[in-house]
Amino acid sequence: MGCKCCKKNKNSEELTDVERAIEIVINNFHCYAVKGRKECLTPNELKDLVGQRLPHLAKGMGTLDSKIECHGDADDAKLQFGEYWDIMGDAAKGCKGQKK
Amino acid sequence: MGCKCCKKNKNSEELTDVERAIEIVINNFHCYAVKGRKECLTPNELKDLVGQRLPHLAKGMGTLDSKIECHGDADDAKLQFGEYWDIMGDAAKGCKGQKK
């Protein structure tokens, strides 16, 4: 998937590593939120995102499919940024757990 | 602040940019969670983290102080990783809002 929106922010040199990291996670949302014009993801777009961009962390997420499916129609339902962030948090918690 | 725990994971070369970004946000939590031995942050540790590691994004977070204070005693209360992730999400939403 060509992802032109993932290029660096002009001011990203000034950001700390953590701020740049958060910016990357945000840009990733915008990158896949094609139908919702960068404002929301469909469940199918989220599945593509997780499969392509989180191939390793997805292993720790458990039942992602059921989580996504409960959001409604795979091509029409709209997942807001907050829901995306929560799902990334599930991936992070899974990753954190594996490191213990 | 010396932050030895922020070094790269051995396998981080294999990770995607988004996975590495999530790993950086996780490592940042471990780095500041000194009193809670990498498992939880005190409100004061979280304040230090935000002040030092999110100097730009913190501007979009609004009333961080009141959010942190409601978690209890500044040096004793324990914020779990999920609460930290939610607060990082507030920073991300603020950042996302500024970009519009």
Side-chain angles (χ1 to χ4, degrees):
Chain A
M1 183 175 187
C3 187
K4 291 177 185 170
C5 60
C6 287
K7 63 188 176 190
K8 273 194 175 179
N9 185 301
K10 274 185 191 173
N11 299 317
S12 60
E13 295 78 36
E14 299 168 14
L15 301 179
T16 68
D17 60 339
V18 185
E19 291 177 322
R20 272 198 302 274
I22 290 174
E23 197 176 59
I24 287 169
V25 182
I26 295 170
N27 287 346
N28 195 48
F29 174 84
H30 289 154
C31 195
Y32 281 80
V34 177
K35 281 200 175 180
R37 297 183 182 179
K38 299 193 180 186
E39 289 307 314
C40 48
L41 289 169
T42 65
N44 272 345
E45 286 172 338
L46 179 59
K47 272 189 194 176
D48 287 346
L49 184 163
V50 171
Q52 293 165 14
R53 311 302 298 158
L54 301 174
H56 307 91
L57 297 196
K59 292 172 193 163
M61 290 172 77
T63 54
L64 176 69
D65 278 357
S66 60
K67 270 179 208 160
I68 292 180
E69 276 161 19
C70 75
H71 284 286
D73 187 274
D75 273 319
D76 277 334
K78 293 174 180 176
L79 287 106
Q80 303 297 318
F81 181 77
E83 293 165 297
Y84 161 74
W85 188 263
D86 289 346
I87 287 172
M88 294 300 103
D90 288 340
K93 284 169 203 162
C95 170
K96 194 172 165 293
Q98 285 166 11
K99 282 188 171 182
K100 272 182 195 171
Chain B
M1 182 177 189
C3 187
K4 292 177 185 172
C5 61
C6 289
K7 64 188 175 188
K8 274 193 175 182
N9 185 301
K10 273 185 192 172
N11 299 318
S12 59
E13 294 78 35
E14 299 168 14
L15 301 179
T16 68
D17 59 340
V18 184
E19 290 178 322
R20 273 198 302 273
I22 290 174
E23 196 176 62
I24 287 169
V25 182
I26 295 170
N27 286 347
N28 195 48
F29 174 84
H30 290 154
C31 196
Y32 280 80
V34 177
K35 282 199 174 181
R37 297 182 182 179
K38 300 193 180 186
E39 289 306 314
C40 48
L41 289 168
T42 66
N44 272 346
E45 285 172 337
L46 180 59
K47 272 190 193 176
D48 287 346
L49 183 163
V50 171
Q52 293 165 14
R53 311 302 298 157
L54 302 173
H56 306 92
L57 297 196
K59 292 172 193 164
M61 290 174 76
T63 54
L64 176 69
D65 278 357
S66 60
K67 270 179 208 161
I68 292 180
E69 276 161 19
C70 75
H71 285 286
D73 186 274
D75 273 319
D76 277 335
K78 292 175 181 176
L79 288 105
Q80 303 296 319
F81 181 78
E83 294 165 296
Y84 161 74
W85 187 263
D86 288 347
I87 288 172
M88 294 299 103
D90 289 340
K93 285 169 203 162
C95 171
K96 193 172 164 293
Q98 285 165 14
K99 281 188 172 182
K100 272 183 195 169

